[in-house]
Amino acid sequence: GESVGLHLPTLSVQEGDNSIINCAYSNSASDYFIWYKQESGKGPQFIIDIRSNMDKRQGQRVTVLLNKTVKHLSLQIAATQPGDSAVYFCAETAAGGFKTIFGAGTRLFVKA
Amino acid sequence: DAGVIQSPRHEVTEMGQEVTLRCKPISGHNSLFWYRQTMMRGLELLIYFNNNVPIDDSGMPEDRFSAKMPNASFSTLKIQPSEPRDSAVYFCASRGGGREKLFFGSGTQLSVL
């Protein structure tokens, strides 16, 4: 396999606070990135994407930041809600390719 | 649209038995992916198809694993013979043209005893 996740990082935040989830991607040739959310017992679901010609992209309550220099991606969730509790994965696709590779994931706990 | 449909939802089998997992992608999608998810290794890409043709199967762990896509609306992942270390959640995902987002099914929870 191409994704290794030995210990899932965990982020615990208070309801209403902002959350920042980080991801270090592996392939400098990757040019398309997606954040997915996985709730218990379900498959990953698309949240937001960004292409390498952008540094930032905003959605509803979510923002993705891309730093190609250090191969770093982050997901910011504004006003975190209990329903945001899930595992979040970043995924990368290399330029000219179709294969999507997932990072290890981060578990987000939202305290009410 | 019903989304990506996987069956069975759960499968419990004994070591040595053949296991077949099924997937129906979203109509009109031309790429299909099989992933395996475990606590130790996260989400691993096993194989993907484009227009029903296997493009990259480098993630298939062993010859015991095989995948087919006989038509645009159906794919199978077969494990023969199954082993306890194959226990995992297996996801199928599909995608439309290009390199856009993946749509995942609900997964098959496989337990090999």
Side-chain angles (χ1 to χ4, degrees), chain A residues 25 28 55 66-72:
Chain A
Y25 63 92
S28 57
D55 297 321
L66 174 62
N67 184 331
K68 295 181 289 295
T69 302
V70 295
K71 295 192 290 185
H72 184 267

Side-chain angles (χ1 to χ4, degrees), chain B residues 79-94:
Chain B
I79 308 172
Q80 167 63 21
S82 58
E83 297 183 1
R85 59 193 169 119
D86 301 330
S87 298
V89 181
Y90 290 81
F91 287 103
C92 174
S94 71

Side-chain angles (χ1 to χ4, degrees), chain B residues 35-53:
Chain B
Y35 286 87
R36 178 173 66 177
Q37 187 174 37
T38 61
M39 286 299 295
M40 285 301 295
R41 298 180 66 84
L43 268 167
E44 300 175 272
L45 176 62
L46 301 178
I47 185 172
Y48 75 97
F49 296 82
N50 197 46
N51 293 321
N52 311 338
V53 176

Side-chain angles (χ1 to χ4, degrees), chain A residues 63-83:
Chain A
T63 301
V64 55
L65 299 177
L66 174 62
N67 184 331
K68 295 181 289 295
T69 302
V70 295
K71 295 192 290 185
H72 184 267
L73 202 63
S74 69
L75 176 70
Q76 300 177 359
I77 305 174
T80 312
Q81 302 168 0

Side-chain angles (χ1 to χ4, degrees), chain B residues 31-82:
Chain B
S31 295
L32 184 141
F33 299 72
W34 283 100
Y35 286 87
R36 178 173 66 177
Q37 187 174 37
T38 61
M39 286 299 295
M40 285 301 295
R41 298 180 66 84
L43 268 167
E44 300 175 272
L45 176 62
L46 301 178
I47 185 172
Y48 75 97
F49 296 82
N50 197 46
N51 293 321
N52 311 338
V53 176
I55 303 300
D56 187 336
D57 65 354
S58 59
M60 296 286 262
E62 299 171 34
D63 291 345
R64 299 184 295 107
F65 286 69
S66 63
K68 295 182 179 179
M69 192 164 186
N71 57 62
S73 59
F74 184 65
S75 177
T76 59
L77 177 67
K78 185 176 293 186
I79 308 172
Q80 167 63 21
S82 58

Side-chain angles (χ1 to χ4, degrees), chain A residues 1-6 31-32 34 36 38 41-44 46 51 89 93-102, chain B residues 9 31 33 35 37-45 48 56 58-59 91 95 98-102 104-106:
Chain A
E2 298 197 40
S3 176
V4 179
L6 297 179
D31 69 345
Y32 179 57
I34 300 179
Y36 288 88
Q38 186 178 25
K42 298 182 180 179
F46 171 87
R51 299 192 184 279
F89 293 95
T93 305
F98 293 87
K99 193 158 65 172
T100 298
I101 304 301
F102 282 74
Chain B
R9 190 77 172 88
S31 295
F33 299 72
Y35 286 87
Q37 187 174 37
T38 61
M39 286 299 295
M40 285 301 295
R41 298 180 66 84
L43 268 167
E44 300 175 272
L45 176 62
Y48 75 97
D56 187 336
S58 59
F91 287 103
R95 183 170 67 192
R99 301 184 298 122
E100 304 300 323
K101 61 189 176 186
L102 296 172
F104 281 80
S106 297

